Amino acid sequence: MGYLRIFNPHPVKMGDGAQPEDLLLEVHLREPILQVEVGKFVSGTEMLHLAVLHSRKLCVYAVSGTLGNVEHGNQYQITLMYEHHLQRTACSMTYGPFGGVKVVQRRCHVTKQFVNTMCLDQDYLLQLSSWLLKTKFPYNEICRDLICIQSVDGMLMVFEQESFAFGRFLPGSLLPGPLVYSPRTDSFITVSSCRQVESYKYQVLAFATDADKRQETEQQKLGSGKRLIVDWTLNIGEQALDICIVSFSPSASSLFVLGERNLFCLKDNGQIRFMKKLDCSPSCFLPYCSVSEGTVNTLIGNHSSMLQIYQDVTLKWATQLPHVPVAVRVGSLHDLKGVVVTLSDEGHLQCSYLGTDPSLFQAPVIESRELNYDELDVEMKELQKFIKDFKSQGVWPTTEKEDDLEVSVTVSPNFDSVSQATDVELGTDLVPSITVKVMLQNRVVLQKAKLSIYVQPPLVLTCDQFTFEFMEPEMTSTVSFSVYLRRSYTPSELEGNAIVSYTRPTDRNPDGIPRVIQCRFRLPLKLVCLPDQPSKTASHKLTIDTNKSPVSLLSLFPGFANQTEDDQVNVLGFRFLGGSHVTLLASKTSQRYRIQSEQFEDLWLITNELILRLQEHFEKQGTKDFTCSFSGSLPLQEYFELIDQHFELRINGEKLEELLAERAVQFRAIQRRLLTRFKDKTPAPLQHLDTLLDGTYKQVIALADTVEENQDNLLQSFARLKSATHLVILLIGLWQKLSAEQIAILEAAFLPLQEDTQELGWEETVDAAVAHLLKTCLSKSSKEQALNLSSQLSIPRDTSRLKKHITLLCDRLAKGGRLCLSTDTAAPQTMVMPGGCAPIPESDQEEKAVEQACSAELFANHRLLRQESAAPEVSALQGVFE
């Protein structure tokens, strides 16, 4: 720390390292160095000197050298000319001819003697210049540089070379920003903590009240001291990283400000000349004049280790650097012009240039000869055969993923002897846990194997991430974890998913090819459900028909039936750990099963479990023609009630977040008012601001608690909605005898999200998916098959349109429509560009036909297809496009 190094790099060949003679000087100054500048800082000479800024000291050095007998024998040293001890901690500095101060050196031919007059004040400069012009004596003007240091607390300290001039506090300064001096306007320009560019005239700073005088006297109030007034300001809305001034000509210059996300180019008066939004976070920049008249080139380094060159706002060049640059400059080294010098935060100094090395290769002259087309045809066929064989082999090895790694999941049939459930919210029920084992066996060497386990909430895992290293083939690794129910509501699925991602190295790619293996497993029903007394009454009932004689529930659910009671053979009661009850009945005379419950969504798990166990039962008996069907009315009304509840919670969440944001803004405004009152030197009454602050704080806390409670209710509502969606899809599949591919399309349309958020919710996503199905595979004419392009989804005003689309989907399926992903149909399709999207035909004629075709037995809620106005309804995506 505190090392000053001066380098003179020599051009080297590609691959050569740094040379020892590149380092001219290395001095340990024993204090951290904040900034280094070169200028005319010593009076009485035009030689350049080195100014080094420390945190509490400013030092000016002279650099000199002694020639040796050979090049590497040259010696360099620095000599301290003067130093200033600072009373405040420094942050940065700038230099320049502040106030236009110059030194006049005249040569008078009087009796063959030279009289030198130096260090004249500016007031006498015009008189002396006029006298010299009249007498026609030759004279020279020598510029000198003054130094301005900015402290951490916002004070500007001006030094006139060896002496201290004055110090001024910038008004409203909280944190120091970049500082630069503009010689053309004689102004200091900085970016304040208010994120605005500010310009202060040097003359205003010089005649303002002294910073050391804290109290104004009557004489200062009468006019001896002036208030520090800003020349102009510009709000850029972000913090600045650096400021630089580039002069096109003596009459024009531009001010460049590098922000956190944008590059600003300003005029001398603070007006924006242009601005450029940057793609990456910048780290440094350097503007310089371009060869094109009226334009400026800008070098910008970013944290992606890229160096970009802009001409005004146009990107002209981009190159990759081996490090993140924190400083960049352009110079000439050993007759090599335009050398780009970059410095990293680790002290890596690199000199480079833009362009490419010229190629000295010259292609030989090709001898002209006649073409033999027969030979060319034979060669072309050979090449095509080689390409075909290569494509059949594939670019990557054709080894199957199952051959690389085998994944098997085993779920324990019994509960853990000691439950692993922690932080449960289920009241007095003892929550059980069950152990799941995952075994991985590799065939080849694999790298970076990572196992991730996912189950549906509120099911939780004791551990869901595992990492493996298969350094040798034929290795076996086994991990185990426990699963239990944490919250008081029912999960939407009992299936879990084990996903293994790994990389397999090959000869073409030593780093490995990424691959993924997925293995699904099923958790037992008893993990979330307990046996209970059956109930004779229920609000929601479903009847599942089969083509086989009824099976004893005792054999289907052995863990939930009492074998000593005969009446338990055809009726079973279930109680979920959350508290809801479900009853399952098997008919003694018909081939039917009834499931009933007080909550509609609770029917899903028992219904799905019943169908799966029936299929397993008949598969064990060798029966292959077992089928289930559903002939009742679809419970769309109950399903729509759950949709409305979920949508209402989303709307409430938006309103609560907006209200919380308003209260937070109010709280910060009151804090600023109180802080201003407390910082005021003259005590003033608080005017009940403290009471208002306390009340607003309580409102913020209460609203935050309400938002958390609403989010928890929204999570539970989404789980119930997913359970009801699974049930509706199952009933539609049994009702219309849909294939597995068609059921998969319905699941993709109705269950597109694993998590529900305010930005992208279930309602708008499902509405867009169902509308797409209605316009493609379920369309009734070629006019309806206009495909909409994708657009941004937003939360709808209500759920009436979604419910209408779902009802229309069920009606199209009832009329013989079939789901398919292929767009190859008999009728031609048209692609509609944005602005001309074809709406879903929902005119009066279609709705009347739907009402006539649908009977009360088919839909219990057919009143949703009510008559609309004569104008057709516009698609939800069309409004976004227009």
Side-chain angles (χ1 to χ4, degrees), residues 117-173:
T117 304
M118 303 180 64
C119 299
L120 297 180
D121 295 336
Q122 188 177 6
D123 298 336
Y124 301 102
L125 186 59
L126 293 177
Q127 299 179 7
L128 179 60
S129 300
S130 178
W131 179 75
L132 290 173
L133 287 175
K134 290 179 181 179
T135 56
K136 299 182 180 180
F137 288 156
Y139 68 94
N140 296 328
E141 289 186 357
I142 304 175
C143 296
R144 62 172 181 171
D145 293 327
L146 280 64
I147 299 176
C148 177
I149 299 177
Q150 180 182 208
S151 65
V152 175
D153 56 355
M155 180 180 178
L156 299 184
M157 298 171 285
V158 179
F159 294 88
E160 294 185 359
Q161 296 181 342
E162 291 86 351
S163 60
F164 172 76
F166 58 85
R168 301 289 184 265
F169 277 102
L170 296 179
S173 176

Coordinates of all heavy atoms in Angstrom, one line a residue, residues 117-173:
T117 N 9.6 40.2 -14.7 CA 8.6 40.5 -13.8 C 7.6 39.3 -13.8 O 7.1 38.9 -14.8 CB 7.8 41.8 -14.2 OG1 8.7 42.8 -14.3 CG2 6.7 42.1 -13.2
M118 N 7.4 38.7 -12.6 CA 6.7 37.5 -12.5 C 5.6 37.7 -11.4 O 5.7 38.5 -10.5 CB 7.6 36.3 -12.2 CG 8.7 36.1 -13.2 SD 9.7 34.7 -12.8 CE 8.5 33.4 -12.9
C119 N 4.6 36.8 -11.5 CA 3.6 36.7 -10.4 C 2.8 38.0 -10.3 O 2.7 38.5 -9.1 CB 4.2 36.2 -9.1 SG 5.0 34.6 -9.2
L120 N 2.4 38.5 -11.3 CA 1.5 39.7 -11.3 C 0.1 39.4 -11.0 O -0.4 38.3 -11.5 CB 1.6 40.5 -12.6 CG 3.0 41.1 -12.9 CD1 3.0 41.9 -14.2 CD2 3.5 42.0 -11.8
D121 N -0.6 40.2 -10.3 CA -2.0 39.9 -10.0 C -2.8 40.1 -11.3 O -2.4 40.8 -12.3 CB -2.6 40.8 -8.9 CG -1.9 40.5 -7.6 OD1 -1.4 39.4 -7.5 OD2 -1.9 41.4 -6.8
Q122 N -4.0 39.6 -11.3 CA -4.8 39.7 -12.5 C -5.3 41.1 -12.8 O -5.6 41.5 -13.9 CB -6.0 38.7 -12.4 CG -6.9 38.6 -13.6 CD -8.0 37.6 -13.5 OE1 -8.2 37.1 -12.4 NE2 -8.7 37.3 -14.6
D123 N -5.5 41.9 -11.7 CA -5.9 43.3 -11.9 C -4.9 44.1 -12.7 O -5.3 45.0 -13.4 CB -6.2 43.9 -10.5 CG -7.3 43.2 -9.8 OD1 -8.1 42.6 -10.4 OD2 -7.3 43.3 -8.5
Y124 N -3.6 43.8 -12.5 CA -2.6 44.5 -13.2 C -2.2 43.9 -14.6 O -1.4 44.5 -15.3 CB -1.3 44.6 -12.4 CG -1.5 45.2 -11.0 CD1 -1.6 44.5 -9.9 CD2 -1.6 46.6 -10.9 CE1 -1.8 45.0 -8.7 CE2 -1.8 47.2 -9.7 CZ -1.9 46.4 -8.6 OH -2.1 47.0 -7.3
L125 N -2.8 42.8 -14.9 CA -2.4 42.1 -16.1 C -2.8 42.9 -17.4 O -2.1 43.0 -18.3 CB -3.1 40.7 -16.1 CG -2.7 39.8 -17.3 CD1 -1.2 39.5 -17.3 CD2 -3.4 38.5 -17.2
L126 N -4.0 43.4 -17.4 CA -4.5 44.2 -18.6 C -3.7 45.4 -18.8 O -3.3 45.8 -19.9 CB -6.0 44.5 -18.4 CG -6.9 43.3 -18.4 CD1 -8.4 43.8 -18.2 CD2 -6.8 42.5 -19.7
Q127 N -3.3 46.1 -17.6 CA -2.5 47.4 -17.8 C -1.1 47.0 -18.3 O -0.6 47.7 -19.2 CB -2.4 48.1 -16.4 CG -3.8 48.5 -15.9 CD -3.7 49.2 -14.5 OE1 -2.6 49.4 -14.1 NE2 -4.8 49.5 -13.9
L128 N -0.6 45.9 -17.8 CA 0.8 45.6 -18.2 C 0.8 45.1 -19.7 O 1.7 45.5 -20.4 CB 1.3 44.4 -17.3 CG 2.7 43.9 -17.7 CD1 3.7 45.0 -17.6 CD2 3.1 42.8 -16.7
S129 N -0.2 44.4 -20.1 CA -0.3 43.9 -21.4 C -0.5 45.1 -22.4 O 0.1 45.2 -23.5 CB -1.5 42.9 -21.6 OG -1.3 41.8 -20.8
S130 N -1.3 46.1 -22.0 CA -1.5 47.3 -22.9 C -0.2 48.0 -23.0 O 0.2 48.5 -24.1 CB -2.6 48.2 -22.3 OG -2.7 49.3 -23.0
W131 N 0.6 48.2 -21.9 CA 1.8 48.9 -22.0 C 2.8 48.2 -22.8 O 3.6 48.8 -23.6 CB 2.3 49.1 -20.5 CG 3.7 49.8 -20.5 CD1 3.9 51.2 -20.7 CD2 4.9 49.2 -20.3 NE1 5.2 51.4 -20.6 CE2 5.9 50.3 -20.4 CE3 5.4 47.9 -20.1 CZ2 7.3 50.0 -20.2 CZ3 6.7 47.7 -19.9 CH2 7.6 48.7 -20.0
L132 N 2.9 46.8 -22.7 CA 3.8 46.1 -23.5 C 3.5 46.2 -25.0 O 4.4 46.2 -25.9 CB 3.8 44.6 -23.1 CG 4.4 44.4 -21.7 CD1 4.2 42.9 -21.3 CD2 5.9 44.7 -21.7
L133 N 2.2 46.2 -25.3 CA 1.8 46.4 -26.7 C 2.2 47.7 -27.3 O 2.6 47.9 -28.4 CB 0.3 46.1 -26.9 CG -0.2 44.7 -26.7 CD1 -1.7 44.6 -26.8 CD2 0.4 43.8 -27.8
K134 N 2.0 48.8 -26.4 CA 2.4 50.1 -26.9 C 3.9 50.2 -27.1 O 4.3 50.8 -28.1 CB 1.9 51.1 -25.9 CG 0.4 51.3 -25.9 CD 0.0 52.3 -24.8 CE -1.5 52.4 -24.8 NZ -2.0 53.4 -23.7
T135 N 4.6 49.7 -26.2 CA 6.1 49.8 -26.3 C 6.7 48.7 -27.2 O 7.9 48.7 -27.5 CB 6.7 49.6 -24.9 OG1 6.3 48.4 -24.4 CG2 6.3 50.7 -24.0
K136 N 5.8 47.7 -27.7 CA 6.2 46.7 -28.6 C 7.4 45.9 -28.1 O 8.3 45.4 -28.8 CB 6.6 47.3 -30.0 CG 5.5 48.0 -30.7 CD 5.9 48.5 -32.1 CE 4.7 49.2 -32.7 NZ 5.0 49.7 -34.0
F137 N 7.4 45.7 -26.8 CA 8.4 44.8 -26.2 C 7.9 43.4 -26.2 O 6.7 43.1 -26.0 CB 8.6 45.2 -24.7 CG 9.4 46.4 -24.5 CD1 9.3 47.2 -23.4 CD2 10.2 46.9 -25.6 CE1 10.0 48.3 -23.2 CE2 11.0 48.1 -25.4 CZ 10.9 48.8 -24.2
P138 N 8.7 42.4 -26.5 CA 8.2 41.0 -26.6 C 8.0 40.5 -25.2 O 8.7 40.9 -24.2 CB 9.4 40.3 -27.3 CG 10.6 41.1 -27.0 CD 10.1 42.6 -26.9
Y139 N 7.0 39.6 -25.1 CA 6.7 39.0 -23.8 C 6.1 37.7 -24.0 O 5.6 37.4 -25.1 CB 5.8 39.9 -22.9 CG 4.3 40.0 -23.5 CD1 3.3 39.2 -23.0 CD2 4.1 41.0 -24.4 CE1 2.1 39.3 -23.5 CE2 2.8 41.1 -25.0 CZ 1.8 40.2 -24.5 OH 0.5 40.3 -25.0
N140 N 6.1 36.8 -23.0 CA 5.5 35.5 -23.0 C 4.5 35.3 -21.9 O 4.7 35.8 -20.8 CB 6.6 34.4 -22.9 CG 7.5 34.4 -24.1 OD1 7.1 34.8 -25.2 ND2 8.8 34.0 -23.9
E141 N 3.4 34.6 -22.2 CA 2.4 34.2 -21.1 C 2.6 32.7 -20.7 O 2.7 31.9 -21.6 CB 1.0 34.4 -21.6 CG 0.6 35.8 -21.8 CD -0.9 36.0 -22.2 OE1 -1.5 35.0 -22.3 OE2 -1.3 37.1 -22.3
I142 N 2.8 32.5 -19.5 CA 3.0 31.2 -18.9 C 1.8 30.8 -18.1 O 1.5 31.5 -17.1 CB 4.3 31.1 -18.1 CG1 5.5 31.6 -19.0 CG2 4.5 29.7 -17.6 CD1 6.8 31.7 -18.2
C143 N 1.1 29.7 -18.4 CA 0.0 29.2 -17.6 C 0.5 28.4 -16.4 O 1.6 27.8 -16.5 CB -0.9 28.3 -18.5 SG -1.7 29.1 -19.9
R144 N -0.2 28.5 -15.4 CA 0.1 27.7 -14.2 C -1.2 27.0 -13.7 O -2.3 27.5 -14.0 CB 0.6 28.6 -13.1 CG -0.3 29.7 -12.6 CD 0.2 30.4 -11.4 NE -0.7 31.4 -10.9 CZ -0.5 32.0 -9.7 NH1 0.5 31.8 -8.9 NH2 -1.4 32.9 -9.3
D145 N -1.0 25.9 -13.1 CA -2.2 25.1 -12.6 C -2.3 25.2 -11.1 O -1.4 25.1 -10.4 CB -1.9 23.6 -13.0 CG -1.9 23.4 -14.5 OD1 -2.7 24.1 -15.2 OD2 -1.2 22.5 -15.0
L146 N -3.6 25.4 -10.8 CA -4.0 25.4 -9.4 C -4.6 24.1 -9.1 O -5.1 23.4 -10.0 CB -4.9 26.6 -9.0 CG -4.3 28.0 -8.8 CD1 -3.6 28.5 -10.1 CD2 -5.4 29.0 -8.4
I147 N -4.7 23.7 -7.8 CA -5.2 22.4 -7.4 C -6.4 22.6 -6.5 O -6.4 23.5 -5.6 CB -4.1 21.6 -6.7 CG1 -3.0 21.3 -7.6 CG2 -4.7 20.3 -6.2 CD1 -1.8 20.6 -6.9
C148 N -7.5 21.9 -6.7 CA -8.7 21.9 -5.9 C -8.9 20.5 -5.4 O -9.0 19.5 -6.1 CB -9.9 22.4 -6.7 SG -11.4 22.3 -5.8
I149 N -9.0 20.4 -4.0 CA -9.2 19.1 -3.4 C -10.6 19.0 -2.8 O -11.0 20.0 -2.1 CB -8.1 18.9 -2.3 CG1 -6.7 18.8 -2.9 CG2 -8.3 17.6 -1.5 CD1 -5.6 18.7 -1.9
Q150 N -11.3 18.0 -3.0 CA -12.6 17.8 -2.4 C -12.5 16.8 -1.3 O -12.0 15.7 -1.4 CB -13.6 17.2 -3.5 CG -15.0 16.9 -2.9 CD -15.9 16.3 -4.0 OE1 -17.1 16.5 -4.0 NE2 -15.3 15.6 -4.9
S151 N -13.0 17.2 -0.1 CA -12.9 16.4 1.1 C -14.2 15.5 1.1 O -15.1 15.6 0.4 CB -12.9 17.3 2.3 OG -14.1 18.0 2.5
V152 N -14.1 14.6 2.1 CA -15.2 13.6 2.2 C -16.5 14.3 2.7 O -17.6 13.8 2.3 CB -14.8 12.5 3.2 CG1 -15.9 11.5 3.5 CG2 -13.6 11.7 2.7
D153 N -16.4 15.3 3.5 CA -17.6 16.0 3.9 C -18.0 17.1 3.0 O -18.9 18.0 3.4 CB -17.4 16.6 5.3 CG -16.1 17.5 5.4 OD1 -15.4 17.6 4.4 OD2 -15.9 18.1 6.5
G154 N -17.5 17.2 1.8 CA -18.1 18.1 0.8 C -17.4 19.5 0.7 O -18.1 20.4 0.3
M155 N -16.2 19.6 1.2 CA -15.5 20.9 1.2 C -14.5 21.0 0.1 O -13.8 20.0 -0.2 CB -14.8 21.2 2.5 CG -14.1 22.5 2.6 SD -13.2 22.7 4.2 CE -12.4 24.3 3.9
L156 N -14.5 22.1 -0.7 CA -13.5 22.3 -1.7 C -12.4 23.2 -1.2 O -12.6 24.3 -0.8 CB -14.2 23.0 -3.0 CG -15.3 22.2 -3.6 CD1 -15.8 22.9 -4.9 CD2 -14.8 20.8 -4.0
M157 N -11.2 22.7 -1.3 CA -10.0 23.4 -0.8 C -9.1 23.7 -2.0 O -8.7 22.8 -2.7 CB -9.2 22.6 0.2 CG -10.0 22.2 1.5 SD -9.2 21.0 2.5 CE -9.5 19.5 1.6
V158 N -8.9 25.0 -2.3 CA -8.1 25.5 -3.4 C -6.7 25.9 -3.0 O -6.5 26.6 -2.0 CB -8.8 26.7 -4.1 CG1 -8.0 27.2 -5.3 CG2 -10.2 26.2 -4.5
F159 N -5.7 25.4 -3.7 CA -4.3 25.7 -3.4 C -3.7 26.3 -4.6 O -3.7 25.8 -5.7 CB -3.5 24.4 -3.1 CG -4.0 23.7 -1.8 CD1 -5.0 22.8 -1.8 CD2 -3.4 24.0 -0.6 CE1 -5.4 22.1 -0.7 CE2 -3.8 23.4 0.6 CZ -4.8 22.5 0.5
E160 N -3.1 27.5 -4.4 CA -2.4 28.2 -5.4 C -0.9 27.8 -5.3 O -0.1 28.5 -4.7 CB -2.6 29.7 -5.3 CG -4.0 30.2 -5.6 CD -4.1 31.7 -5.6 OE1 -3.1 32.4 -5.3 OE2 -5.2 32.2 -5.8
Q161 N -0.6 26.7 -5.8 CA 0.7 26.1 -5.8 C 1.2 25.9 -4.4 O 0.7 25.1 -3.7 CB 1.6 26.9 -6.7 CG 1.2 26.9 -8.2 CD 2.1 27.6 -9.1 OE1 2.9 28.5 -8.7 NE2 2.0 27.4 -10.4
E162 N 2.2 26.7 -4.0 CA 2.7 26.5 -2.6 C 1.9 27.0 -1.5 O 2.2 26.8 -0.3 CB 4.1 27.1 -2.5 CG 5.2 26.4 -3.4 CD 5.2 26.9 -4.8 OE1 4.3 27.7 -5.1 OE2 6.1 26.6 -5.6
S163 N 0.8 27.8 -1.8 CA 0.0 28.4 -0.7 C -1.4 28.0 -0.8 O -1.9 27.6 -1.9 CB 0.2 29.9 -0.8 OG -0.4 30.4 -2.1
F164 N -2.1 28.0 0.4 CA -3.5 27.7 0.5 C -4.3 28.9 0.2 O -4.0 30.0 0.8 CB -3.8 27.1 1.8 CG -5.3 26.9 2.1 CD1 -6.0 25.9 1.5 CD2 -6.0 27.8 2.9 CE1 -7.3 25.7 1.8 CE2 -7.3 27.6 3.2 CZ -8.0 26.6 2.6
A165 N -5.3 28.8 -0.7 CA -6.1 30.0 -1.1 C -7.4 30.1 -0.2 O -7.5 31.1 0.5 CB -6.5 29.9 -2.6
F166 N -8.3 29.2 -0.3 CA -9.5 29.3 0.4 C -10.2 27.9 0.4 O -9.8 27.0 -0.3 CB -10.5 30.3 -0.1 CG -10.8 30.1 -1.6 CD1 -11.9 29.2 -1.9 CD2 -10.1 30.7 -2.6 CE1 -12.2 29.0 -3.2 CE2 -10.4 30.5 -3.9 CZ -11.5 29.6 -4.2
G167 N -11.2 27.8 1.2 CA -12.0 26.5 1.3 C -13.5 26.9 1.4 O -13.9 27.8 2.0
R168 N -14.3 26.1 0.6 CA -15.7 26.4 0.6 C -16.5 25.1 0.7 O -16.1 24.1 0.1 CB -16.1 27.1 -0.8 CG -15.4 28.4 -1.0 CD -16.0 29.5 -0.1 NE -15.3 30.8 -0.4 CZ -14.3 31.3 0.2 NH1 -13.7 30.6 1.1 NH2 -13.8 32.4 -0.2
F169 N -17.6 25.1 1.4 CA -18.5 24.0 1.5 C -19.5 24.0 0.4 O -20.1 25.1 0.2 CB -19.2 23.9 2.9 CG -18.4 23.3 4.0 CD1 -17.7 24.1 4.9 CD2 -18.2 22.0 4.1 CE1 -17.0 23.6 5.9 CE2 -17.5 21.4 5.1 CZ -16.8 22.2 6.0
L170 N -19.7 22.9 -0.3 CA -20.8 22.8 -1.2 C -22.2 22.7 -0.5 O -22.3 21.9 0.4 CB -20.6 21.6 -2.2 CG -19.4 21.7 -3.1 CD1 -19.3 20.4 -3.9 CD2 -19.3 22.9 -3.9
P171 N -23.2 23.4 -0.9 CA -24.5 23.4 -0.2 C -25.1 22.0 -0.4 O -25.2 21.4 -1.5 CB -25.3 24.5 -0.9 CG -24.6 24.7 -2.3 CD -23.2 24.4 -2.1
G172 N -25.6 21.5 0.8 CA -26.4 20.3 0.7 C -25.6 19.0 0.4 O -26.1 18.0 0.0
S173 N -24.3 19.1 0.7 CA -23.4 17.9 0.3 C -23.5 16.9 1.4 O -23.4 17.1 2.6 CB -22.0 18.4 0.2 OG -21.1 17.3 -0.1

